[in-house]
Amino acid sequence: MLLEMRHRPENNNAGNGSSPSSQNADTSFAQQSFAHPTFTDIGMKLKACNDTLGDLQQLGVSHVAALPELVLVGDQSAGKSSLMSGLARVNLPRNAGVGTRCPLHIRLIGSNNAHWSCTVSLQQDYDYQPPPGGKIKRSDVTNANPFPPWVKQSHRETKMFKTIFDPAEIEEVLRWAQVAILNHNRSHELFIPGEGAVAKEMELADAARETQAQFSPNIVALEIKGPGLPDLSFYDLPGVFLSPDQEEDEYVVKVVRNLTRDYIRREKAIIMWALPMNADPENSISLGIIREAKAADRTIGIMTKADKLAAENESQWLAMFRGEKQSVGHGFFATSRPPEESLDQAAKWEELFFTREVGSWPGDFANYANRCGVELLREYISVQLGEAFSRSLPSIKTKVYHRLRAIEQQLTGLPELPPNVEHEVKKSLYQFLGRMKTTVKDTDFSSQWNTLNDQFQACIIKMKPTCRVKDPDLQTIDLSDADTEASAVTPSKRPRPNDSTIRATPSKRQRPEAAAMTTPVKQEDFAMTGMMRASSVSSSMQHGTQSPFVRYFNLGRLAMDIKDIRSEIMRKKRPGMPRDLVPDEVREAMCLDAVKKWEGPLETYISKTAELLEKVSNQALEESLGVLRRRMIFKECQSHLRQFLDQAVASQRGRLSEMYDSETYQLYMMNEDAFTRYKAQEMDQLTRARAIHRLKAVALVKWDYQIKKPEDMSEEEKHEERKILNNQLPKIGRDPYDTEIEVAGFVRGYYMTAATRFVERVTMDVNSSLFRTIGDSGLDVFMDQKLGVFGRAGKLSPYHIIKIHYYGTCTLT
């Protein structure tokens, strides 16, 4: 199609005959000239024109030469999704469609091949650069910065996403492609359904909620090939709207309008303006943008949802068909595609609707039957696009030619490659890969990671469920691990009874009704097996760092209450069971509730580990390839390194998630010795606190008696406390809540057993899996696959030598 255009010399000697040779020359010239009548039917060769146009659009050369293009715009809920599915002859997502958060480019190619295929790719013209605080305000959207936090790149990057051969897969693939394009700074391969680590581990809905960006001007592109498809390409833009769901997304309103305005202003664009017939066209936001851009002459009006037309509004829409209202250059078409129908059924229904065999299409519109239906619209826009391209082809060729000459001049100005470029590049790469192998084993990294492990461990310990040992009629004692020092018992504010009276008649003393009163009692520190060490609780302070887990410390505070434990036992107990016999499901449910709180700390742990890895990896890259920082090799290595780490961390996150799921699935323990030891320690603390609480309630222990940690007590103080408890407890009889205390001790004992196991498993798996992947040859293989620098007898290709070493600072697009 890109034939060379030449000026045809005028023949002043019209009367002279032409020689055969000159006639042949004229014939040859005519075959190369767009002005010759031979080319007058070029607009009919729609397939060739539209195929070539589609190729140019995918190459992203619009910054060199303006290309004719079809752009579908409209307000939210204008029926664009159903219209787009009809034009593309494929069931695309509707309602919460893929086009809501980024533009979509659909290219249809008719093929003689019986097989249908769809290749999805990401066309990235913008780089994601969020502000330091991450928050974007409406005022940040300006003429100079129309799509914050997206910044225009010097050239387009096209990343292949996935090719599918079953139309039923298109919705899932498109939705994941949108998630990938909204996570610009992560590898798109993580989000490929059925292949990527994130797509395997996360639900699509969760991934869509957790994207880096809320909106992107970058494009998700579809190239659909199949028999019977029209040769057509068009853009579908997100619907413009007035207000977002969340106040913090107000800026998106302006960004979407700017995007629509940007496409409409393109001088070669043919605008397809969708407006529903169940709404007032005067209220169309898109129409205002079209008029502002003075693009009405280039606009095709498409009335959607014709089956929703109210009888009282018929005259208004007839006036638009006649060009009397909201006039546009290409006039109006009407369509009706019920979203609940399948593709084939919707097409049949639409045909019957406009022939008035079904539905209630008014007879007054019969004069416009040649403009009703998606099929007729598709034929019209295909012809319009082909003709526009044929008219633009000479100027496009001229602009591309001039751009090519400018690039060639840039290339001639580049310095010659030195003779040792291959050695220099490969030496730096080998140094980088070698440094990465030792990074996860060196002292500095190990120290930082050990600090993180200690902080994670300390967090899990601090989250142990505390118990409110509150006698319903008396005060409250709160067993809390959150304090760093033993807390004094808070004196009661009620009148203190006479000690002698109470000691004289303890059995007749009725426990007074009083408000609950919380008395913190510090849990004793005790020896821990495995990784559990008493020093871990304060490890973050020892290393002089603030623990990233602080917000989780109090998740276990007051998680149990002896009254609630009793209620749960009574609710689950079968008739006739003894009072002190506790159903197994009560213990299991309470134990699992305690460990389910680990999900947040676990996510923080793997995220902080990933940050640490990224930090030391970038440092290794800088130390090894810093001299090539301005070259393409540095940027490529940085990108591939981030992609490798993303994949490795995502895989590790999946493994840790499985560990968490196994801990929260059911109560399980094999190390009964450790459980027995932990439970005994917890029971000692609970029964001691409960005993002091009961004795204070009946004034057999002074109200100002301070409960200290055992390690803070002298032997004399311990002996005196044991003496008081041994002498006074028999006077008040059996604790009515001894069963509930035992259940609380069981839960806390199991928690410590499971916590020891969980922290050990998590940290060991990260070390033996994630770090091992980096320390072994995994990164070497990955880099070789991406860069191809160590294959074929260790030779770098000339392409990589040039691109890696010298073209890093030259824009060749």
Side-chain angles (χ1 to χ4, degrees):
M1 299 299 298
L2 295 175
L3 299 175
E4 183 175 0
M5 185 176 181
R6 300 172 183 167
H7 294 290
R8 183 173 183 175
E10 295 186 0
N11 188 353
N12 296 325
N13 302 318
N16 297 335
S18 302
S19 66
S21 61
S22 65
Q23 292 176 359
N24 292 338
D26 286 345
T27 301
S28 175
F29 171 78
Q31 292 173 347
Q32 302 177 62
S33 172
F34 287 103
H36 194 274
T38 306
F39 291 88
T40 56
D41 62 342
I42 192 170
M44 301 301 295
K45 301 179 180 179
L46 297 179
K47 178 174 177 57
C49 287
N50 289 329
D51 282 353
T52 304
L53 177 59
D55 290 337
L56 291 173
Q57 288 173 337
Q58 287 193 334
L59 288 172
V61 299
S62 58
H63 64 291
V64 177
L67 300 176
E69 53 195 6
L70 290 169
V71 179
L72 178 58
V73 303
D75 298 357
Q76 277 190 344
S77 303
K80 292 194 301 92
S81 297
S82 298
L83 174 61
M84 184 172 59
S85 296
L87 290 173
R89 290 181 180 171
V90 65
N91 283 313
L92 298 173
R94 303 181 183 183
N95 297 327
V98 297
T100 57
R101 297 172 70 183
C102 69
L104 187 69
H105 181 237
I106 298 179
R107 181 184 179 190
L108 307 173
I109 303 175
S111 171
N112 294 329
N113 194 321
H115 298 291
W116 181 94
S117 68
C118 176
T119 298
V120 181
S121 61
L122 311 181
Q123 297 177 354
Q124 298 176 338
D125 298 307
Y126 295 83
D127 187 30
Y128 183 66
Q129 298 179 10
K135 295 292 184 181
I136 305 167
K137 304 183 294 296
R138 189 180 177 91
S139 59
D140 294 332
V141 186
T142 63
N143 292 334
N145 187 24
F147 313 125
W150 299 90
V151 178
K152 185 75 172 179
Q153 298 179 151
S154 60
H155 62 286
R156 168 175 289 181
E157 292 184 48
T158 299
K159 297 179 179 178
M160 302 309 298
F161 192 70
K162 189 170 186 177
T163 298
I164 56 176
F165 302 95
D166 183 357
E169 299 178 26
I170 196 168
E171 179 169 354
E172 181 188 22
V173 173
L174 279 181
R175 292 188 187 278
W176 275 112
Q178 179 176 254
V179 172
I181 215 163
L182 294 172
N183 287 283
H184 183 82
N185 292 333
R186 301 182 67 184
S187 170
H188 69 286
E189 295 179 352
L190 294 172
F191 305 98
I192 299 177
E195 302 174 23
V198 173
K200 287 181 179 179
E201 301 297 335
M202 291 187 70
E203 294 292 333
L204 176 56
D206 295 333
R209 283 193 299 268
E210 298 176 9
T211 55
Q212 292 175 339
Q214 295 298 315
F215 174 86
S216 175
N218 289 327
I219 300 167
V220 173
L222 294 80
E223 184 177 272
I224 304 174
K225 296 180 180 179
L229 288 178
D231 296 291
L232 188 66
S233 64
F234 62 92
Y235 291 91
D236 174 54
L237 303 185
V240 292
F241 56 100
L242 289 174
S243 59
D245 294 334
Q246 304 293 332
E247 185 176 353
E248 57 266 27
D249 294 334
E250 280 287 341
Y251 77 96
V252 180
V253 175
K254 293 183 65 177
V255 168
V256 172
R257 290 196 189 190
N258 284 344
L259 181 74
T260 303
R261 187 178 293 111
D262 179 70
Y263 276 80
I264 289 177
R265 283 177 175 172
R266 298 178 183 180
E267 58 182 283
K268 300 292 185 180
I270 301 173
I271 311 304
M272 298 187 294
W273 167 40
L275 65 161
M277 298 187 78
N278 61 344
D280 187 351
E282 295 286 350
N283 296 329
S284 172
I285 308 171
S286 304
L287 178 59
I289 301 175
I290 291 171
R291 288 174 172 171
E292 176 191 334
K294 301 187 184 319
D297 290 343
R298 296 185 278 110
T299 298
I300 305 170
I302 304 174
M303 304 173 182
T304 64
K305 303 183 182 181
D307 53 307
K308 306 292 185 182
L309 173 62
E312 61 270 20
N313 295 329
E314 290 179 14
S315 60
Q316 179 184 24
W317 295 94
L318 272 172
M320 293 171 63
F321 260 125
R322 291 193 294 263
E324 298 170 358
K325 297 183 65 175
Q326 284 82 38
S327 177
V328 291
H330 291 269
F332 285 89
F333 282 77
T335 66
S336 181
R337 289 290 176 117
E340 65 276 4
E341 297 287 349
S342 66
L343 186 65
D344 292 336
Q345 291 299 322
K348 292 178 182 177
W349 188 93
E350 184 183 56
E351 181 180 357
L352 294 175
F353 174 77
F354 285 122
T355 56
R356 292 187 293 164
E357 296 180 47
V358 299
S360 56
W361 183 238
D364 292 342
F365 290 87
N367 292 335
Y368 304 100
N370 62 336
R371 282 182 165 256
C372 293
V374 171
E375 294 297 327
L376 293 174
L377 171 64
R378 184 191 299 110
E379 292 176 9
Y380 181 83
I381 60 177
S382 181
V383 171
Q384 294 300 314
L385 187 64
E387 290 181 349
F389 180 61
S390 67
R391 291 192 300 267
S392 303
L393 197 54
S395 64
I396 293 173
K397 175 188 179 275
T398 300
K399 291 179 181 179
V400 171
Y401 176 83
H402 288 311
R403 182 59 179 162
L404 177 61
R405 297 285 79 80
I407 291 174
E408 289 176 344
Q409 289 180 3
Q410 290 185 41
L411 291 174
T412 57
L414 293 176
E416 293 294 328
L417 294 174
N420 63 343
V421 60
E422 183 173 355
H423 171 73
E424 182 181 346
V425 171
K426 292 186 68 174
K427 181 183 71 173
S428 298
L429 284 173
Y430 277 123
Q431 183 180 356
F432 164 64
L433 295 173
R435 191 178 295 275
M436 282 298 298
K437 286 183 172 61
T438 60
T439 289
V440 295
K441 298 178 182 179
D442 65 24
T443 304
D444 184 56
F445 177 82
S446 297
S447 175
Q448 295 182 63
W449 187 59
N450 285 338
T451 298
L452 182 63
N453 288 342
D454 288 344
Q455 292 168 338
F456 175 57
Q457 174 183 277
C459 173
I460 298 299
I461 296 173
K462 282 179 174 289
M463 288 171 58
K464 180 172 62 176
T466 64
C467 182
R468 187 191 297 270
V469 286
K470 173 193 174 184
D471 192 318
D473 297 325
L474 302 176
Q475 71 182 53
T476 299
I477 296 180
D478 169 27
L479 290 179
S480 174
D481 296 329
D483 305 310
T484 56
E485 297 179 358
S487 301
V489 176
T490 305
S492 173
K493 296 181 180 179
R494 63 185 176 181
R496 178 180 172 185
N498 183 278
D499 289 354
S500 61
T501 303
I502 294 190
R503 288 192 177 95
T505 57
S507 60
K508 297 179 182 180
R509 172 79 162 86
Q510 296 297 320
R511 289 174 291 187
E513 295 290 335
M517 176 178 169
T518 303
T519 305
V521 178
K522 175 69 180 84
Q523 172 181 306
E524 304 169 29
D525 288 330
F526 45 85
M528 305 177 190
T529 59
M531 291 184 64
M532 295 293 179
R533 303 180 297 276
S535 62
S536 66
V537 175
S538 60
S539 62
S540 63
M541 291 188 295
Q542 293 172 358
H543 290 277
T545 58
Q546 174 65 41
S547 172
F549 304 95
V550 171
R551 63 184 183 276
Y552 304 115
F553 284 177
N554 290 326
L555 288 183
R557 184 172 177 79
L558 302 181
M560 297 185 291
D561 188 304
I562 56 174
K563 292 191 304 179
D564 295 336
I565 296 175
R566 172 168 289 185
S567 298
E568 191 66 14
I569 292 174
M570 298 303 295
R571 193 170 66 87
K572 298 288 180 65
K573 185 163 57 176
R574 297 192 303 273
M577 289 179 61
R579 185 191 72 82
D580 58 352
L581 186 61
V582 180
D584 290 340
E585 54 263 37
V586 173
R587 299 180 188 272
E588 182 169 33
M590 295 182 66
C591 289
L592 294 183
D593 284 345
V595 301
K596 284 178 181 178
K597 295 181 175 67
W598 292 344
E599 186 173 17
L602 181 62
E603 175 57 31
T604 298
Y605 174 73
I606 186 61
S607 297
K608 291 299 179 181
T609 300
E611 288 179 13
L612 181 59
L613 267 180
E614 184 176 5
K615 174 184 173 183
V616 298
S617 299
N618 287 333
Q619 183 178 351
L621 182 67
E622 184 70 29
E623 292 174 354
S624 303
L625 282 85
V627 295
L628 303 174
R629 190 181 299 104
R630 298 183 61 193
R631 307 302 181 188
M632 188 64 75
I633 183 61
F634 186 86
K635 296 177 181 178
E636 286 202 12
C637 282
Q638 195 172 46
S639 174
H640 297 322
L641 175 62
R642 183 169 58 235
Q643 181 180 350
F644 175 81
L645 292 178
D646 281 347
Q647 291 179 352
V649 170
S651 177
Q652 183 64 57
R653 181 178 275 107
R655 293 169 61 87
L656 298 187
S657 179
E658 291 177 358
M659 293 181 192
Y660 170 79
D661 290 342
S662 67
E663 292 288 352
T664 56
Y665 171 63
Q666 67 179 27
L667 186 150
Y668 186 88
M669 58 183 167
M670 290 291 292
N671 193 346
E672 293 190 16
D673 290 341
F675 169 72
T676 301
R677 183 169 64 256
Y678 284 129
K679 180 183 176 184
Q681 292 167 347
E682 299 299 331
M683 288 299 298
D684 285 346
Q685 297 175 63
L686 288 166
T687 54
R688 175 191 176 217
R690 176 67 179 167
I692 295 174
H693 156 72
R694 296 180 65 214
L695 292 176
K696 283 187 176 185
V698 294
L700 293 180
V701 169
K702 294 180 180 180
W703 283 100
D704 58 355
Y705 178 80
Q706 293 188 0
I707 303 177
K708 299 180 180 179
K709 294 188 296 185
E711 61 268 27
D712 294 337
M713 300 173 67
S714 65
E715 289 300 321
E716 183 179 352
E717 288 175 325
K718 292 179 183 179
H719 175 75
E720 184 64 25
E721 183 177 275
R722 284 195 297 268
K723 180 180 177 181
I724 293 174
L725 295 179
N726 291 336
N727 291 338
Q728 301 296 351
L729 279 177
K731 297 179 182 180
I732 58 176
R734 178 185 174 185
D735 185 354
Y737 282 90
D738 57 356
T739 300
E740 289 75 14
I741 294 295
E742 186 276 332
V743 172
F746 181 96
V747 173
R748 285 160 63 93
Y750 177 80
Y751 182 94
M752 291 303 299
T753 305
T756 304
R757 174 180 64 209
F758 183 66
V759 172
E760 190 86 18
R761 289 178 66 197
V762 165
T763 53
M764 183 177 71
D765 197 80
V766 169
N767 184 62
S768 61
S769 179
L770 178 60
F771 295 167
R772 184 178 181 180
T773 301
I774 298 172
D776 290 348
S777 58
L779 181 59
D780 302 49
V781 174
F782 184 84
M783 284 295 191
D784 189 30
Q785 290 174 345
K786 295 297 181 180
L787 296 174
V789 295
F790 302 120
R792 296 199 175 186
K795 287 287 186 181
L796 286 168
S797 69
Y799 167 75
H800 273 101
I801 293 176
I802 296 173
K803 189 172 77 165
I804 285 170
H805 199 71
Y806 272 99
Y807 290 170
T809 58
C810 181
T811 301
L812 301 181
T813 54

